[in-house]
Amino acid sequence: CHSEANALVKLRGHGEGLILMTGTSPCEHCAGLIVNSRRVSHVLYGKTYREGTGFGLLKDGGVSARLMQEILE
């Protein structure tokens, strides 16, 4: 199980525009779950997953993805 899927299942309340922080950028499957949740607008990640296929899905779904290090600089 990927951490993003677990985080989405455990969301409580009805917020939108949430920020999801994860150690690795989402894979294609998890990116789809994030977009379909319609609750997350930003993903911050620590390093890039071995495949970058999730980035396209996030972008097409209106979810921004940023490397945490970029924000800290």
Side-chain angles (χ1 to χ4, degrees):
C1 178
H2 294 179
S3 62
E4 299 92 337
N6 192 38
L8 291 171
V9 167
K10 292 184 178 201
L11 280 176
R12 295 185 183 173
H14 299 285
E16 292 181 1
L18 301 175
I19 299 171
L20 187 142
M21 296 177 72
T22 183
T24 307
S25 63
C27 68
E28 187 173 15
H29 176 75
C30 288
L33 294 175
I34 291 166
V35 170
N36 288 333
S37 78
R38 297 190 171 136
R39 297 180 71 189
V40 176
S41 60
H42 305 284
V43 173
L44 300 177
Y45 60 94
K47 64 181 182 176
T48 303
Y49 185 65
R50 65 179 179 257
E51 301 170 3
T53 55
F55 290 116
L57 281 175
L58 291 173
K59 183 178 178 181
D60 291 347
V63 178
S64 71
R66 298 267 319 264
L67 185 63
M68 283 184 227
Q69 188 63 36
E70 292 175 356
I71 294 171
L72 298 174
E73 294 177 344

